[in-house]
Amino acid sequence: MRDFYGTTLANGFMLGTAQYPSPAILAEAFKRSGASVATVSLRRESGQDRAGQDFWAMIKGLGVHILPNTAGCHSVKEAVTTAHMAREVFDTKWIKLEVIGEEDTLQPDVFGLTEAARILTEDGFQVFPYTTEDLVVADKLLNAGCEVLMPWGAPIGSGLGLNNLFGLRAMRAHFPDVPLVIDAGLGLPSQAAQAMELGYDAVLLNTAVAKAGDPALMAEAFATAIAAGKQAAEADPMEPRDMAAPSTPVIGKAFLS
Amino acid sequence: MTDVTIIGAGVAGLCVARSLMDRGAQVRLIDRAGDVGPHACSWWAGGMLAPHCEGESAEEPVIRLGQEAADWWDRQTGVVHRHGSLVVSANRDRADITRFARRTSHYKEVNAVEIEALEPDLGARFSKGLYFESEAHLAPRAALAKLRAGLVRGGATFEQAEADPADFAAKGLTVDCRGFAARDTNADLRGVKGEMLVLSCPDVTLTRPIRLLHPRIPLYIVPRGDGIYMLGATMIEAAASKHVTARALLELLSAAYALNPAFGEAEVLEIGVDSRPAFADNLPRIRRNGNLITANGLFRHGFLLAPALARMVAEVIFDNETPEVMDEAAA
């Protein structure tokens, strides 16, 4: 089992904490999901005067691992500052590093990402970089000190699922020892199951649960799918083939008549 | 005649005062500024009386209790505009309209022609929308002023004091309507920051509140009359509320510009920020501890839910009832 900077997670479900109708519904969704990690974003302004502390106290009270993120940061400097704030507020070395390069697709700026990852790693952070499925970028992130990679499934909040199956499969094959997390773009539990079937170690999602009509029920649906996908990967699935393969013997049957 | 002291002259305090006076109480209002004003978050409210639209993210009681609001405000102040509300999105965000429609009711789907007929100044920019015909809106400050005037006519008094509700409760029946300031005795109350703008834009004529859906930057714009518009939207889980961020301003203004480019020529009259009091489920609560009753947690639904909350406070006092939002546990 691949671990995350020395931490073994009970399951591969990382759930975001934004956009829920109310904190009470958020808490219920976490309870029903059994998610092992909560991601939480720090807006810079509220970090400075600790204004968000009621909300953060509630997140801490969920009793799961906390992965603060630098959501909404567009530059290396912004991301690094936010990461420092997060370390102080949540007392953790973990940081989900987001450096947004394109406002419309929220695509990561992989150049800024690599630089910020290097700066933060040197400063003792354990970086979870939000990246694409590009293998060269992935390699540079590992060289910068990252021990986890989080490629996107599809643009943040789009709910499109795994857009580049080939690329994600290649990434798994290319980095067999690196914990990989599908981060962003999932809309349905079946897509999360698919990610786990590919051999990914976890999925990270937020909108698909928070914006569902019944967030807690959707959280539970994702938990079930993630568990199923993980079991399937461990069970070593059959290889697909082009021809039908009868599962009962045909010898002695009148199949030639 | 029952004497009641009400602490806090925001929308909750004034509505509670009105409903208690209507039941025969003699009331006095104690407020840290002495009167209705910008220290209350209701001063900065949108004033949308839109229970069905709120159903998109709010729990069922908000939709049901909110339906009392338009009639109540009309009766008490006469400043309610009943022109419905309109929900639109840019064509690329049409999935958000579909989602909004699935979560709400009491609307009519409208196409580009119908949207233009309702609001000619939106032109043909939006091809699909939802029209909530039964909804209404009001200008918050005008409504608060009317409500206040009616209270004074009925014999209510306003006093300035930094009041500790417990001191007043020791002397008589007291209702704590201080909003987020009541955090001192309600540890589970949190502040949700909201940011708003008031624009003057006589070039644009809108008749009803418009909600522009967007996956990241939802906007609502409420006409105040005479070419004045209130823009709002942001919801940040943070209590401190001194200043609006540049990002919030940029987002609000660019959303307004998307609604109608003429907003680019608008003059910015006011920039406001407040901290809305909310409990974990974003629903209001009434709590009673002997002579001290707390009515709080209206979240972003001050004008929408204060009439129902005030009615229920009166039921607690005069009918000894336990209304649905009564919560003894944490008092």
Side-chain angles (χ1 to χ4, degrees):
Chain A
M1 174 102 185
R2 290 170 283 257
D3 60 32
F4 296 83
Y5 293 101
T7 299
T8 303
L9 299 177
N11 57 51
F13 197 173
M14 302 182 174
L15 186 55
T17 56
Q19 299 183 309
Y20 290 80
S22 72
I25 291 173
L26 185 164
E28 177 65 15
F30 268 85
K31 202 172 127 202
R32 292 266 292 272
S33 72
S36 51
V37 174
T39 60
V40 56
S41 88
L42 281 95
R43 291 223 3 189
R44 296 186 63 196
E45 48 152 344
S46 40
Q48 277 159 3
D49 54 13
R50 297 301 189 89
Q53 57 186 323
D54 287 347
F55 185 71
W56 298 333
M58 197 269 295
I59 303 293
K60 288 178 191 169
L62 293 172
V64 299
H65 294 285
I66 292 178
L67 176 58
N69 68 48
T70 63
C73 290
H74 288 70
S75 71
V76 172
K77 189 180 167 197
E78 234 184 324
V80 169
T81 309
T82 306
H84 278 95
M85 245 176 251
R87 182 161 67 178
E88 203 185 308
V89 170
F90 292 106
D91 193 24
T92 175
K93 293 180 191 170
W94 283 13
I95 187 76
K96 179 192 153 186
L97 186 60
E98 259 185 63
V99 182
I100 298 302
E102 213 284 317
E103 189 58 46
D104 240 19
T105 59
L106 300 179
Q107 192 161 345
D109 165 7
V110 294
F111 302 96
L113 181 69
T114 314
E115 191 189 336
R118 184 186 51 75
I119 294 169
L120 290 172
T121 305
E122 283 172 5
D123 202 8
F125 281 91
Q126 296 173 333
V127 177
F128 294 61
Y130 164 62
T131 182
T132 67
E133 65 278 43
D134 189 294
L135 298 179
V136 181
V137 172
D139 207 44
K140 295 208 184 286
L141 286 168
L142 297 176
N143 286 338
C146 297
E147 294 177 20
V148 175
L149 295 171
M150 307 224 287
W152 63 351
I156 295 173
S158 67
L160 290 172
L162 307 182
N163 262 358
N164 180 358
L165 265 183
F166 162 76
L168 293 171
R169 207 178 271 136
M171 199 164 188
R172 179 70 287 174
H174 205 76
F175 301 107
D177 301 323
V178 178
L180 298 178
V181 183
I182 293 290
D183 178 9
L186 300 186
L188 286 169
S190 53
Q191 297 158 353
Q194 190 183 21
M196 298 302 285
E197 286 162 10
L198 291 182
Y200 276 68
D201 299 278
V203 298
L204 195 165
L205 54 110
N206 188 338
T207 312
V209 167
K211 290 286 186 186
D214 185 339
L217 184 59
M218 188 59 88
E220 193 176 322
F222 267 101
T224 312
I226 289 164
K230 184 169 189 290
Q231 284 176 325
E234 287 167 359
D236 188 14
M238 64 169 277
E239 285 303 312
R241 52 186 292 158
D242 291 333
M243 301 293 289
S247 51
T248 46
V250 287
I251 303 291
K253 297 258 176 71
F255 68 96
L256 289 176
S257 64
Chain B
M1 187 181 278
T2 316
D3 282 341
V4 185
T5 302
I6 295 164
I7 305 184
V11 69
L14 294 186
C15 287
V16 166
R18 183 71 260 168
S19 94
L20 297 187
M21 277 175 68
D22 287 346
R23 301 283 303 260
Q26 173 68 39
V27 307
R28 63 168 172 167
L29 285 107
I30 313 282
D31 184 272
R32 67 184 143 108
D35 211 333
V36 180
H39 61 296
C41 67
S42 38
W43 191 255
W44 304 101
M48 292 186 289
L49 304 174
H52 300 297
C53 281
E54 289 301 318
E56 186 251 343
S57 60
E59 307 259 356
E60 182 275 337
V62 175
I63 307 168
R64 179 165 41 82
L65 299 173
Q67 290 179 46
E68 299 175 24
D71 287 345
W72 193 92
W73 284 106
D74 209 8
R75 203 164 59 237
Q76 300 293 350
T77 68
V79 298
V80 173
H81 303 279
R82 296 173 185 264
H83 302 298
S85 42
L86 185 62
V87 178
V88 295
S89 75
N91 287 339
R92 49 177 261 173
D93 299 324
R94 280 171 71 164
D96 290 298
I97 288 276
T98 309
R99 178 178 174 280
F100 201 96
R102 275 212 309 269
R103 303 284 156 73
T104 53
S105 62
H106 294 76
Y107 58 79
K108 185 180 144 208
E109 287 194 22
V110 283
N111 60 27
V113 175
E114 292 164 311
I115 292 171
E116 196 171 357
L118 282 167
E119 295 288 1
D121 278 4
L122 292 185
R125 268 177 218 100
F126 303 100
S127 60
K128 195 178 165 196
L130 306 171
Y131 177 42
F132 293 76
E133 196 174 1
S134 64
E135 296 187 335
H137 69 283
L138 51 71
R141 295 173 199 176
L144 292 173
K146 290 264 188 189
L147 197 53
R148 180 193 185 281
L151 292 171
V152 172
R153 273 199 307 279
T157 57
F158 285 74
E159 295 167 35
Q160 190 278 323
E162 282 286 347
D164 181 348
D167 293 344
F168 287 91
K171 296 178 206 136
L173 194 55
T174 302
V175 186
D176 181 354
C177 296
R178 289 177 298 156
F180 187 62
R183 164 79 182 234
D184 53 1
T185 47
N186 295 270
D188 53 344
L189 198 62
R190 74 186 202 287
V192 180
K193 184 178 177 182
E195 293 155 312
M196 61 87 82
L197 283 177
V198 179
L199 302 180
S200 169
C201 190
D203 292 349
V204 178
T205 303
L206 297 174
T207 309
R208 52 186 63 74
I210 314 282
R211 292 176 188 235
L212 177 62
L213 304 184
H214 185 278
R216 295 192 296 283
I217 316 164
L219 167 94
Y220 58 78
I221 183 158
V222 189
R224 292 275 190 260
D226 298 326
I228 311 287
Y229 295 92
M230 182 273 190
L231 270 70
T234 58
M235 299 260 289
I236 301 166
E237 288 287 348
S241 56
K242 281 192 221 82
H243 301 292
V244 172
T245 61
R247 175 174 295 174
L249 278 185
L250 281 166
E251 289 175 352
L252 286 173
L253 288 172
S254 59
Y257 186 79
L259 211 56
N260 187 327
F263 276 114
E265 301 303 317
E267 291 181 5
V268 179
L269 302 184
E270 285 184 69
I271 298 173
V273 60
D274 63 38
S275 193
R276 293 168 282 201
F279 292 105
D281 54 6
N282 294 341
L283 291 174
R285 295 277 190 291
I286 297 172
R287 290 171 174 170
R288 180 163 200 168
N289 185 2
N291 257 346
L292 179 62
I293 294 170
T294 299
N296 212 325
L298 287 169
F299 183 48
R300 55 182 270 173
H301 303 125
F303 285 83
L304 187 65
L305 294 186
L309 189 70
R311 168 179 59 75
M312 290 188 269
V313 168
E315 288 165 5
V316 170
I317 293 174
F318 293 102
D319 309 328
N320 216 12
E321 274 190 21
T322 305
E324 60 181 298
V325 299
M326 194 82 184
D327 164 27
E328 300 283 358

